[in-house]
C-alpha cells in the first residue's frame, strides 16, 4: 500500500503545485488571515471527492455528456474574467490591504462561494483530478492506496499554502505589495480564462 500512496501523493502534489485561480485565492485569504481553515478544508475535501470519483472510474463523464465540458469551460471563463477585473479594480483603489484597513473583511459565505466556484467551475480541475489521476490510478493494483496518497497531498498542500502565507506577512505590510499581488492575481485569472476559451 505504501508505494502506491507515495505515487499518488507525488502525482497529485505535482499537479496542484502550479499557481492557479484556486491557489491564488487561498494565498490571498491566507495573507489576510480570513477564513483560512474553512477555505483550506473546502479545497482539500473538494479535491478528495474529485480524486475519489476519478479513481472509482467516473472519468468517462465527459464522454457520456459532451456538453458538460463546454458548459464548465465557458462558465469558468466568465467567472474568472469577473474575478480578474475585480482584482484589477482593487489594485487601482490601493490594494486588498485598504479593504482590510477599512474593516471590509469578506464574509465566510462570500469566501466559500468564491472558492467553490474556483474549484468546481474550472475544467482543468476535472482534467487533473478525475481524468488524469483516475486514469493513472488504473496502473496500480492498490488503487485505494493511490487515492489515499493523492487525497492526502491536497490536504497537505492547501493547509501549507493557507497558513504558510503568514510567513510573507512582513512583505505585505506595505500597501504596494498588496497592489502587486492583486495585479498578479488578476493576470493569472485572465490568462486562465483566455486559455479556457481558446483551448
Amino acid at each position: 500500500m505504501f508505494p502506491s500512496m507515495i505515487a499518488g501523493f507525488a502525482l497529485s502534489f505535482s499537479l496542484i503545485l502550479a499557481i492557479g485561480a484556486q491557489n491564488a485565492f487561498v494565498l490571498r485569504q491566507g495573507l489576510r488571515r480570513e477564513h483560512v481553515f474553512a477555505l483550506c478544508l473546502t479545497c482539500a475535501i473538494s479535491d478528495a471527492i474529485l480524486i475519489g470519483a476519478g479513481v472509482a472510474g467516473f472519468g468517462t463523464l465527459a464522454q457520456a455528456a459532451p456538453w458538460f465540458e463546454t458548459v464548465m469551460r465557458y462558465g469558468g471563463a466568465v467567472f474568472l474574467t469577473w474575478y480578474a477585473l475585480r482584482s484589477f479594480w482593487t489594485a487601482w483603489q490601493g490594494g486588498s490591504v485598504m479593504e482590510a484597513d477599512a474593516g471590509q473583511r469578506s464574509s465566510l459565505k462570500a469566501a466559500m462561494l468564491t472558492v467553490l466556484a474556483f474549484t468546481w467551475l474550472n475544467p482543468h480541475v476535472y482534467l487533473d483530478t478525475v481524468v488524469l489521476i483516475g486514469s493513472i490510478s488504473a496502473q496500480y493494483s492498490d488503487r485505494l492506496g493511490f487515492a489515499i496518497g493523492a487525497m492526502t497531498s491536497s490536504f497537505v498542500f492547501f493547509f501549507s499554502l493557507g497558513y504558510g502565507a503568514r510567513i510573507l506577512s512582513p512583505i505585505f505590510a506595505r500597501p504596494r505589495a498588496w497592489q502587486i499581488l492583486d495585479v498578479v492575481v488578476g493576470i493569472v485569472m485572465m490568462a486562465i480564462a483566455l486559455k479556457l476559451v481558446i483551448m
Side-chain angles (χ1 to χ4, degrees), residues 44-172:
I45 290 176
S46 295
D47 266 12
I49 292 171
L50 291 166
I51 290 169
V55 173
F58 294 115
T60 57
L61 176 61
Q63 296 176 345
W67 54 266
F68 181 76
E69 188 271 339
T70 302
V71 170
M72 295 303 297
R73 185 153 54 94
Y74 286 101
V78 169
F79 175 76
L80 290 171
T81 300
W82 171 81
Y83 196 87
L85 294 175
R86 181 176 178 273
S87 294
F88 290 139
W89 176 253
T90 301
W92 178 261
Q93 295 293 103
S96 299
V97 69
M98 300 302 289
E99 295 179 5
D101 289 344
Q104 298 177 10
R105 291 175 57 87
S106 62
S107 67
L108 175 60
K109 179 181 178 180
M112 291 292 286
L113 289 175
T114 301
V115 81
L116 285 171
F118 280 140
T119 303
W120 294 92
L121 291 180
N122 183 359
H124 290 293
V125 171
Y126 295 91
L127 291 174
D128 287 348
T129 56
V130 179
V131 179
L132 187 58
I133 292 179
S135 61
I136 292 178
S137 70
Q139 303 173 13
Y140 292 84
S141 57
D142 181 18
R143 297 178 71 181
L144 176 60
F146 187 91
I148 291 173
M151 293 174 185
T152 301
S153 76
S154 289
F155 280 87
V156 171
F157 176 83
F158 282 113
F159 279 94
S160 297
L161 179 64
Y163 286 100
R166 299 180 181 189
I167 298 172
L168 301 175
S169 292
I171 297 173
F172 286 90

Side-chain angles (χ1 to χ4, degrees), residues 23 25-34 36-37 39-40 156-167:
N23 296 353
F25 183 72
V26 172
L27 174 64
R28 179 179 179 274
Q29 294 300 109
L31 288 166
R32 290 166 61 96
R33 302 189 182 191
E34 291 183 4
V36 180
F37 181 82
L39 293 175
C40 292
V156 171
F157 176 83
F158 282 113
F159 279 94
S160 297
L161 179 64
Y163 286 100
R166 299 180 181 189
I167 298 172

